[in-house]
Amino acid sequence: MSSSSSSQNSSASLSTPAALWRLKPFVRPALGRMIGGAASALAAAIIALMIPIVLEQIIAGPVMSGQVSAIVWGAVAVLALSLGEAVMVWLRRWFILKPSTEIEYRMRSDLYSRLQALPVAFHDRWQSGQLLSRMMQDIGLIRRWLAFGLILLVVNILTIMIGSVLLFRWHWLLGVIFLITGIPLWIRGYLFEKRYGVLTRRSQDQAGDLATSVEESVHGIRVLKAFGRGKHALGRFSNQAETLRQTELSKARAVGSLWFFLDLMPQIAFGLSLISGIWLISQGAISVAELFAFFAMATVLRWPIESIGFLFSFALDARTATDRVFEIFSETNTITDPENPVHINQPRGELAFENAHFRYQDAGASERDLLDGIDLVLRPGETMALVGLTGSGKTTLTTLPTRLYDVTGGRVTLDGVDVRDLPVAELRTHIAMAFEDATLFSASVRENVLLGRAELDIHSDEGERVLREALQIAQAEFVDALPEGVETVIGEEGLSLSGGQRQRLALARAVAANPKVLVLDDPLSALDVDTEALVERALRRVLADTTALIVAHRPSTVALADRVALLERGRITAVGTHSELLKTSAHYRHVISSLEAEEAARTGAIPIIREDAATDAATDDSATEDDTNNAKKEVQA
């Protein structure tokens, strides 16, 4: 995935232990109990290794001599050891269960906090399904590995080492045979890591892409149904699912190949040891009891040896999941609080753009800035409309005051203070936004509208007053007709509401935040004419002492403004009242005519054509050739 390729490269350069070591800060608070779990697991393994030694004594003594009572006591000893092993296994689970879930909780909380802190530019690059799969699937896998895979991998390796040393207790030849047959397993394991690591990364990325497809299909279900493209979406999803299936099959084949060796080599070791053991008995080098104990010990070691393949692949899965999670943690947050913040206790609301430039990170070096030297001052309490043709940079400009994006040149100031010198949280209490594409959350109407008033008890009398006032201004009293009124949970992204209802609630949310500066990106586009008129009338009262920057896509929105700023190809080319700009700017007349034509098409009304538009455009010194041609076309229409 292009958004994380550099992070992938840096993660790939780490060894698996080094990559997993990055989990240390999350594991440290639970380290004591995890060590207790590992100690319990190791104790269980040591007890299991003691059983063959006890069996050797039983066979060499009571069994060979026929002492029945001694055999019973031997059986009791083996039973006691088995019960001790079971208790240690239970203790391992008791030690590790709670801390592993706490680690998972901390990782999810920190990752969610990181996602909230990262700038909008990060979310522009990343698919939501990829983020979701890291948050849920990858962190869950890490938790299971820490609770089960890591401890058993360490304990089983130690068990194999201890058991291999004990095998030499009976005869060096048997021990050497067992060790030599294990060498191919380690070689195979090394080769397995190279292949499986690539496959597991590919699988987890493909799972993230699949989650993105599901999310997009669910959110866009209305569009898919309206255009009859359900089968197309299903085909695309099926292709992605099949690609993931093939990758999972490749993983399974890789694991199966390792398991083949893990099953084969112990069998070869058992066969060679049996032949050698019989020969050693015939030579009088060992006894039957010793050979029996050797095979009992080898049987105890068989599970740890066979489990190495599964635990090794589990560790590689966890390593890949860790890489994917830390790709987000390692992202640079460019929207941060300054080292020496400035505070504005009583903001006046003067918003200014001073030679502001902006370009997106992926813009080519030869491309001009999207915003190319913006100079604009909004006086305290002033309402300014921002107009321009599609692609002129209006929406981008509205993202700069609240630092959704930072300028790449120049600055934006609030009361003369660079917004980058203010704490981000404080800045966003002074400036609020309402977007054209209204997004609501799966929460009650009350919680959605009062989202920007963190200091307010939303269920208090004051909270009720603010809520009602905001709903009245936004003409959103329709909420009282919902099943539970303002306590109604409106559903994911508010899709149970109409576009106009969502937009009115988003506007109410911006108003309820009680900012000193209000930035509105065409907040009335989905409203009918009558509702829009009511909202505009209420907004005039609200905006009387609030500085407002309103992106206008409709002529009626321009009427709200004290002044109008004309944005043309990333630059402010004219500022004045609506009447002044009509007289002096041909491009402004062209833009207004375009807005009127769009409005007429939307409402079915007859557009008002300015017959002098072409003449003005042709004679005005500031008019461009495009403006003249466009104006003539409008007259001919």
Side-chain angles (χ1 to χ4, degrees):
M1 190 173 60
S2 60
S3 62
S4 59
S5 57
S6 60
S7 298
Q8 276 187 243
N9 292 336
S10 61
S11 296
S13 65
L14 297 174
S15 65
T16 296
L20 292 169
W21 186 253
R22 291 175 294 176
L23 296 172
K24 181 182 176 182
F26 297 102
V27 174
R28 186 183 293 112
L31 191 58
R33 292 195 60 158
M34 289 191 67
I35 292 174
S40 299
L42 183 60
I46 291 173
I47 291 173
L49 292 175
M50 291 174 61
I51 293 176
I53 298 174
V54 173
L55 289 175
E56 178 190 4
Q57 301 303 317
I58 294 173
I59 293 173
V63 172
M64 298 299 291
S65 63
Q67 300 176 6
V68 177
S69 59
I71 293 176
V72 171
W73 285 111
V76 170
V78 172
L79 177 61
L81 289 173
S82 300
L83 290 175
E85 181 184 4
V87 170
M88 291 298 104
V89 170
W90 177 84
L91 275 177
R92 173 181 65 81
R93 293 181 177 274
W94 180 83
F95 271 118
I96 203 62
L97 181 60
K98 182 179 178 181
S100 66
T101 56
E102 290 175 347
I103 292 170
E104 182 180 32
Y105 166 76
R106 282 193 296 272
M107 289 193 70
R108 283 216 174 100
S109 297
D110 286 2
L111 186 61
Y112 185 82
S113 176
R114 184 66 176 171
L115 289 174
Q116 293 295 310
L118 286 169
V120 174
F122 165 84
H123 294 278
D124 290 341
R125 301 193 312 271
W126 283 71
Q127 296 176 338
S128 55
Q130 289 289 351
L131 299 178
L132 182 62
S133 67
R134 283 161 168 78
M135 175 69 74
M136 304 306 298
Q137 179 180 325
D138 290 343
I139 291 181
L141 189 150
I142 291 170
R143 188 263 303 167
R144 293 192 297 275
W145 179 74
L146 289 173
F148 175 72
L150 173 61
I151 289 177
L152 287 188
L153 180 62
V154 172
V155 168
N156 285 3
I157 290 175
L158 291 175
T159 301
I160 293 170
M161 294 172 62
I162 295 171
S164 298
V165 172
L166 290 176
L167 291 177
F168 284 86
R169 178 178 183 272
W170 292 285
H171 197 279
W172 66 268
L173 179 60
L174 298 178
V176 168
I177 290 173
F178 210 83
L179 287 181
I180 289 177
T181 53
I183 292 175
L185 294 180
W186 298 106
I187 297 174
R188 185 65 185 177
Y190 174 78
L191 298 175
F192 171 78
E193 179 184 11
K194 299 294 185 182
R195 182 185 178 194
Y196 191 81
V198 174
L199 290 173
T200 191
R201 174 67 201 223
R202 185 185 305 162
S203 170
Q204 288 170 314
D205 283 343
Q206 289 171 351
D209 292 337
L210 200 63
T212 298
S213 293
V214 173
E215 184 182 30
E216 289 177 346
S217 297
V218 170
H219 287 173
I221 191 65
R222 291 169 174 81
V223 176
L224 293 175
K225 286 183 175 293
F227 286 91
R229 298 293 283 172
K231 288 186 178 179
H232 170 76
L234 176 60
R236 180 169 174 266
F237 175 84
S238 298
N239 289 336
Q240 288 181 304
E242 175 62 22
T243 301
L244 176 58
R245 187 180 78 90
Q246 292 298 331
T247 304
E248 289 294 333
L249 286 175
S250 297
K251 284 176 60 181
R253 283 191 285 268
V255 174
S257 174
L258 182 63
W259 271 98
F260 171 77
F261 278 89
L262 290 172
D263 281 338
L264 176 64
M265 298 315 297
Q267 299 293 350
I268 293 175
F270 271 64
L272 293 176
S273 297
L274 180 60
I275 294 172
S276 301
I278 293 173
W279 179 77
L280 289 171
I281 289 176
S282 67
Q283 297 298 313
I286 61 173
S287 66
V288 173
E290 289 174 327
L291 183 61
F292 178 86
F294 173 86
F295 276 99
M297 181 68 72
T299 302
V300 171
L301 292 177
R302 181 166 183 169
W303 153 244
I305 292 173
E306 290 181 348
S307 70
I308 290 298
F310 160 70
L311 294 173
F312 198 32
S313 63
F314 197 178
L316 292 176
D317 285 337
R319 180 256 163 86
T320 301
T322 302
D323 286 344
R324 282 164 48 87
V325 169
F326 274 84
E327 284 169 8
I328 299 175
F329 281 124
S330 62
E331 281 282 341
T332 301
N333 185 7
T334 57
I335 309 295
T336 58
D337 288 337
E339 292 185 6
N340 301 303
V342 178
H343 300 280
I344 302 177
N345 296 323
Q346 297 293 331
R348 294 181 295 108
E350 181 183 81
L351 181 66
F353 299 83
E354 300 177 4
N355 193 31
H357 288 256
F358 178 80
R359 64 164 45 228
Y360 289 103
Q361 290 181 356
D362 56 356
S366 60
E367 297 181 32
R368 66 178 181 84
D369 289 351
L370 183 58
L371 297 178
D372 192 14
I374 299 293
D375 286 301
L376 183 64
V377 178
L378 281 72
R379 297 186 287 263
E382 179 182 33
T383 298
M384 180 170 287
L386 183 66
V387 299
L389 297 177
T390 301
S392 59
K394 300 184 298 297
T395 296
T396 301
L397 182 64
T398 64
T399 64
L400 302 181
T402 54
R403 297 189 69 195
L404 296 183
Y405 295 94
D406 269 339
V407 293
T408 53
R411 64 176 192 161
V412 180
T413 65
L414 177 63
D415 293 345
V417 178
D418 193 320
V419 294
R420 291 169 295 187
D421 292 333
L422 292 166
V424 175
E426 179 183 327
L427 171 67
R428 291 171 183 171
T429 61
H430 297 324
I431 305 176
M433 287 192 68
F435 303 93
E436 179 182 7
D437 184 14
T439 299
L440 302 175
F441 298 93
S442 297
S444 68
V445 171
R446 181 189 299 275
E447 291 170 310
N448 270 283
V449 173
L450 298 180
L451 183 68
R453 296 295 293 270
E455 82 288 354
L456 187 66
D457 180 357
I458 64 174
H459 296 286
S460 65
D461 292 341
E462 177 64 12
E464 184 69 21
R465 184 192 66 77
V466 172
L467 172 67
R468 287 297 166 185
E469 183 177 300
L471 291 174
Q472 189 276 324
I473 291 169
Q475 299 298 304
E477 291 94 338
F478 68 86
V479 297
D480 292 323
L482 296 176
E484 297 178 38
V486 296
E487 306 304 333
T488 302
V489 176
I490 56 180
E492 185 178 8
E493 295 191 4
L495 294 180
S496 57
L497 304 176
S498 70
Q501 288 174 327
R502 292 198 302 273
Q503 210 166 54
R504 278 180 277 171
L505 286 180
L507 179 59
R509 178 169 59 200
V511 170
N514 192 32
K516 197 60 183 177
V517 178
L518 190 58
V519 180
L520 304 176
D521 184 5
D522 196 21
L524 311 178
S525 61
L527 304 187
D528 60 78
V529 176
D530 294 335
T531 304
E532 180 189 12
L534 293 173
V535 172
E536 288 177 351
R537 190 177 303 124
L539 275 177
R540 284 192 182 93
R541 186 177 73 252
V542 174
L543 299 178
D545 58 354
T546 301
T547 306
L549 178 62
I550 306 177
V551 174
H553 291 280
R554 297 162 71 171
S556 54
T557 308
V558 177
L560 280 172
D562 300 313
R563 290 192 299 160
V564 183
L566 177 63
L567 187 60
E568 183 179 359
R569 296 180 181 179
R571 294 189 175 187
I572 298 294
T573 57
V575 178
T577 65
H578 176 61
S579 299
E580 289 170 350
L581 295 185
L582 282 176
K583 293 177 182 178
T584 60
S585 175
H587 185 66
Y588 181 74
R589 290 191 293 273
H590 165 56
V591 172
I592 292 298
S593 296
S594 300
L595 296 181
E596 289 176 345
E598 293 174 5
E599 179 72 3
R602 188 179 71 87
T603 62
I606 300 175
I608 299 174
I609 303 297
R610 293 182 176 82
E611 295 184 358
D612 61 343
T615 303
D616 288 342
T619 57
D620 197 306
D621 291 338
S622 64
T624 64
E625 183 179 350
D626 290 340
D627 292 331
T628 303
N629 293 333
N630 288 328
K632 288 179 179 178
K633 290 177 183 178
E634 289 160 10
V635 173
Q636 293 168 0

